[in-house]
Every structure is written in structure tokens, then in C-alpha cells.
Amino acid sequence: MEKLIVRQSEALHGTVRISGAKNAVLPILAACLLTEEPCTITNVPALTDVMEMAELLEEFGAETSYDGLTETMRICSETLSNQQAAEKNACAMRASFLAAGPLLTRCHQAALPLPGGCPIGSRPVDLHLKGFSIMGAVHKLEHGVVELSAKNGLRGKRVYLDFPSVGATENIMMAATLAKGTTTIENAAAEPEICDLADFLRKMGAEITGDGTDTIVIQGQKRLHGATHNVISDRIEAGTFMTAAAITGGDILLEQVRQEHLTPVIAKLTECNAKTEVTSSGLRVYRKGRLRPIQLKTMPYPGFPTDMQALFMSLAAVTKGTSVITETVFENRFMHAAELQRMGADIKIDSRSAIIEGVDSLTGTSVRATDLRAGAALILSALAARGETEISDIYHIERGYDRIEEKLRALGADIQRSKDS
């Protein structure tokens, strides 16, 4: 096991290139199962989740290759000899269940273990299964494995989601591309990653309208073809470095970002007294004055993203005054609060709200990354804390950040990777 050693850093300065979006590339890789023809995906970050998804596709019979220098992955799913996933890869990440829709609609059957991932709350697949059932599939759950079957193929139907689930929207949308007739997804998720998946599917020959709104319409096709696609930049990684500039009083230029995907983060950073500026080279984020306390509530897009909540808690912990953060998406996403308290943060949890009284400074100590975004939040807190902080269980961080310590060091951070003793 490895850990990160982080020491208090001066204000971070410089330029950082934002990688491709984890939450966009994973469903896009799953969508490659929809066609017999080769697909080429570019701007693919070298994340553990990405490599595990590639292994999962190979289990089904697909051929994959990854070029780290060009960040390009090639997938050919000409022959799908297996429609059942082994427990190892499927249980390692939530996105593994995104293979269900493509397998079910192309092969008329699929079997996947209930997915794993970060322990941030209940994320059942019932909405996925509801959509498949409406479209004509049957399913059963035995020994933790969901078995799906649609012997006569899927049929386009009206599917209303009780909650705008990103994963369910993506899975049903992919399944609908080869279904007979028209599928309408109501109360659909509208995240940028949904739109990126829809763009890729359209390049494959799918007919999709309404992505980015709460109603998506998919006209089923007889077959899809191969395509080449460049993945959008990661808005959460971008938000992480934006928050790093704010917490250290730095000045960072972010390259390869989509400003329109960052509107809620920019708004809340502005309330905190951080400045943002669009330049010809990218998005500049800097802070020169004192931080101000905030109130925020996580919501489905275009609301404030739940994936940024932990990072803003780190920011609030060193901001004079009282900040209130309310989590509405996941019920168990305050586990990082206890780790921040070990560093001296004054945080009280009241149901789904966290009340943070800013302290003058945090103190470095040994902490544990409880999930992906919590790990990133601990890094930011450590940059602003007196002394040295040891962060363990960093495999969580590697699921969603490509070379984060290298990028931070290039900005002036004092951060090193070390073997756990």
C-alpha cells in the first residue's frame, strides 16, 4: 500500500491541463459493446477505473488496447463470447453495471454482480432495472448477481425515472439505441457526461434528441457502427484545482476546460472571494483577499455537484465564520468530516447538513481517504495545514485523478508518494 505525504505549501501558481472526464469515459467505453466495429476513444485518462472497465469489456470478448502517450483507447467488440461478468472487476466500481444496457440490447441477455465503488451511500440499480423491465426485459437476483434476459429483444417505451439518476439514464439510453421503436426517458439526468455519451452514440449512428434536458428521445436502430470520439474534460478535476487555488491563495490557469460545465462551482468560489477569469489559454482562478464563509446544497445538475462537496468542506474549514453544507444526493457522504476533524477542523453533522466553523489553521496528522473525493479534499486540507499530513488508502484517489500529485508538484505543492510502512 502507498500513501501521500503532504506538507504545508505556499500559494500554488502555474498551469495545469485537465484530463478527460472519468464519469464520461466509463459509459462511453461500455457503449462500445453496442457495435461489432472498432471504436477509438481519445483523451482517456489513465485511471484505475478506466483500466478495470477495459478488463471488464475483455471478459465479454472485446479486444482493447491503451496508448498512454496519446491517451487513446481502441475497442473492438466484434465477438461477444460471454455476457456474464466475474465478480472481481464488476464489484470494484459502480460503473460496471453500465455494461448491462449494451449487452441486453445487443445480445438479449446479461449477468452482472451488484456493483461496488465508493461507500458514499445507497446507489441501487432499481431504476436501471425498472427501465429495462418496461422495455420488455425480465430479471432475477441470485447470490448478488443480476441476471437479465430479453429473448425477443427490447422495445421502445416511455420510461419515467423517479429520480434523475445519471447511471440509469445512461444505461437505458444505450439499451434504447438498438431497441425496436422509440424510447422516451422522462425526468432524465442532464449532466454534461450524459450529453457526451449521446454525442458518441450519434457518431455510431444512433438517433437521439433532448440530451441535456429532462426528456430524452431515442429512436432505435437495427445496428450501430464504429466511431472515434474525444472525451470531454473532467469538470470535477477542474473544480478540484480551482478549489486548490482558493484554499492556498494561489493563481492557477486551467487548460482544456469547459467553463459552461463549471457554472455552479464558479458561482460558489466567487462567493468565497475567489476570482475566475476566462482567457485565450483557459480558465484562470486566483485569490488575493480573505476567504468568506458559504452556504451550499448539492443537487443534480445543473445544481452544485455532490462530487465537489468534500472539497468545499476543506475550504470552509479554514474560512473564518460559519459555513453550512447540505448533502441531498447521497446519505453517507460526510465520512471525510471525521478525518478533517483529526486535522483540527470544527465540523458538526446534523442529519444531512454539516456546520463548519472556520479555524485559523489545520494541523497535519495521519488521515485516511474514505472515498475518491474525500481523498482529494484531504490533499487540499493538507496543503493548507501546518506540518506534515500522511494520507493512506490513496487507491480511492487513483480511481478518479490521473497523476494528481505530479500536477500539484508542478504548481509548487510539497507532495510525495511513499510506501506504507
Side-chain angles (χ1 to χ4, degrees):
M1 299 294 289
E2 293 183 316
K3 59 186 177 183
L4 291 175
I5 309 298
V6 188
R7 299 175 182 86
Q8 186 173 26
S9 299
E10 300 294 328
L12 301 184
H13 288 83
T15 301
V16 61
R17 175 187 171 274
I18 301 303
S19 300
K22 175 184 87 80
N23 291 334
V25 72
L26 295 178
I28 286 171
L29 293 180
C32 294
L33 296 171
L34 290 165
T35 178
E36 300 176 356
E37 298 180 10
C39 295
T40 300
I41 314 301
T42 58
N43 199 29
V44 177
L47 307 174
T48 55
D49 270 15
V50 169
M51 301 311 157
E52 285 173 354
M53 178 61 86
E55 289 182 23
L56 185 65
L57 299 186
E58 290 172 358
E59 278 190 46
F60 301 131
E63 297 178 359
T64 73
S65 64
Y66 181 68
D67 185 338
L69 291 177
T70 61
E71 297 183 327
T72 299
M73 184 167 285
R74 293 178 174 84
I75 304 97
C76 183
S77 305
E78 181 178 4
T79 302
L80 296 182
S81 54
N82 175 42
Q83 290 86 48
Q84 180 164 348
E87 187 174 353
K88 172 182 174 289
N89 290 320
C91 289
M93 58 177 173
R94 173 69 180 175
S96 63
F97 204 73
L98 292 174
L103 288 174
L104 184 59
T105 197
R106 179 178 166 187
C107 303
H108 299 175
Q109 61 182 352
L112 292 102
L114 289 172
C118 289
I120 58 176
S122 175
R123 297 190 287 181
V125 296
D126 58 325
L127 293 180
H128 305 238
L129 300 179
K130 173 185 175 181
F132 297 152
S133 177
I134 291 171
M135 297 171 72
V138 295
H139 67 272
K140 63 179 179 179
L141 175 62
E142 289 187 354
H143 309 295
V145 176
V146 180
E147 297 182 9
L148 294 146
S149 175
K151 292 182 180 180
N152 298 318
L154 297 177
R155 292 189 176 275
K157 295 288 184 177
R158 171 185 172 273
V159 178
Y160 174 83
L161 298 179
D162 298 318
F163 177 82
S165 161
V166 173
T169 300
E170 292 168 338
N171 229 341
I172 296 167
M173 185 164 65
M174 288 187 286
T177 60
L178 294 177
K180 298 174 184 176
T182 302
T183 300
T184 301
I185 307 174
E186 298 177 346
N187 198 29
E191 274 74 0
E193 294 79 14
I194 299 284
C195 298
D196 205 34
L197 173 61
D199 285 343
F200 175 57
L201 293 172
R202 279 189 286 263
K203 290 177 182 177
M204 296 173 73
E207 187 176 323
I208 302 172
T209 58
D211 48 295
T213 75
D214 63 359
T215 302
I216 302 176
V217 179
I218 308 101
Q219 178 66 48
Q221 307 296 310
K222 290 185 177 180
R223 66 183 300 273
L224 299 179
H225 53 72
T228 298
H229 183 74
N230 189 64
V231 177
I232 59 172
S233 60
D234 196 314
R235 60 192 173 102
I236 306 303
E237 184 191 14
T240 300
F241 282 97
M242 293 165 73
T243 311
I247 202 169
T248 65
D251 190 335
I252 300 176
L253 178 68
L254 284 70
E255 294 180 331
Q256 195 170 301
V257 294
R258 301 274 289 270
Q259 183 195 359
E260 66 271 22
H261 295 168
L262 295 164
T263 300
V265 176
I266 291 172
K268 286 300 174 183
L269 282 175
T270 300
E271 290 182 26
C272 291
N273 198 32
K275 313 296 182 185
T276 59
E277 177 184 323
V278 179
T279 74
S280 58
S281 302
L283 180 64
R284 179 190 175 201
V285 185
Y286 59 98
R287 176 178 67 85
K288 295 183 179 179
R290 295 179 62 178
L291 289 167
R292 292 194 291 258
I294 54 163
Q295 293 194 14
L296 67 82
K297 179 185 293 186
T298 65
M299 297 288 286
Y301 190 85
F304 189 87
T306 180
D307 281 350
M308 285 297 302
Q309 177 257 108
L311 299 149
F312 268 68
M313 189 177 291
S314 290
L315 188 62
V318 293
T319 300
K320 187 175 181 179
T322 304
S323 296
V324 179
I325 296 176
T326 301
E327 172 63 52
T328 73
V329 180
F330 293 118
E331 73 277 7
N332 195 28
R333 204 160 198 180
F334 283 150
M335 290 190 295
H336 51 277
E339 301 302 309
L340 292 174
Q341 287 167 338
R342 290 171 55 82
M343 300 177 71
D346 185 350
I347 303 170
K348 295 179 177 62
I349 305 299
D350 181 7
S351 184
R352 288 204 168 196
S353 292
I355 298 92
I356 306 107
E357 295 288 347
V359 298
D360 291 334
S361 63
L362 300 174
T363 302
T365 187
S366 295
V367 291
R368 180 176 67 91
T370 55
D371 62 68
L372 166 57
R373 306 306 173 183
L378 291 173
I379 293 175
L380 297 196
S381 292
L383 293 174
R386 296 196 308 267
E388 181 179 283
T389 302
E390 293 186 3
I391 305 174
S392 60
D393 289 357
I394 62 173
Y395 64 89
H396 284 299
I397 302 171
E398 293 168 340
R399 291 185 51 237
Y401 290 93
D402 186 8
R403 299 172 292 110
I404 189 170
E405 71 270 23
E406 294 178 26
K407 292 182 178 182
L408 285 168
R409 272 199 303 272
L411 298 172
D414 190 344
I415 178 172
Q416 302 293 329
R417 183 179 290 254
S418 172
K419 288 286 185 182
D420 213 349
S421 56

